[in-house]
Amino acid sequence: MIVDFDLLVRETADVFGVSAEDILGPKRTKLASLARHVVMACWADHHPYQDTANRCNRTCHSTVIWARQRVLNEAEMDVSFAVMLNAISRRCQYRAK
């Protein structure tokens, strides 16, 4: 389970070569949008869609639904994308001490 939203944003930003501000802001470049969608998809796997939208500075949970579907479709079509997505998710997993 991913419990640290800031860590998820940092890890995703690092992988995509964008800033956390790009992910959470209004920027609409291809990389920033895809990175934002990855954050939404990973967070929404463990948290309510509206919470995900709020954390990503979006107003509607349907944005999260669409982003999650886009990421899942991309992972299904592109093995390297799926591996990258899995790596981000693994690095952000909660580990009990």
Side-chain angles (χ1 to χ4, degrees):
M1 177 174 200
I2 299 174
V3 296
D4 187 340
F5 183 78
D6 294 331
L7 175 62
L8 175 60
V9 171
R10 285 192 310 270
E11 289 291 340
T12 305
D14 184 50
V15 167
F16 281 90
V18 297
S19 70
E21 292 78 21
D22 290 343
I23 291 174
L24 299 176
K27 200 164 199 175
R28 296 177 77 176
T29 65
K30 184 175 181 177
L31 275 180
S33 293
L34 185 55
R36 182 180 308 118
H37 290 164
V38 166
V39 167
M40 287 184 194
C42 289
W43 192 256
D45 280 347
H46 306 284
H47 304 278
Y49 288 165
Q50 191 59 54
D51 175 63
T52 305
N54 293 343
R55 287 175 180 267
C56 292
N57 299 314
R58 299 302 183 266
T59 57
C60 185
H61 75 282
S62 63
T63 302
V64 178
I65 295 169
W66 187 87
R68 188 170 180 277
Q69 192 59 50
R70 177 182 180 206
V71 168
L72 292 175
N73 287 344
E74 186 67 28
E76 192 174 294
M77 294 186 306
D78 183 347
V79 173
S80 63
F81 184 83
V83 168
M84 179 267 312
L85 186 62
N86 191 26
I88 291 171
S89 183
R90 272 196 331 265
R91 285 196 299 263
C92 296
Q93 291 295 316
Y94 173 74
R95 288 170 182 56
K97 295 179 181 178

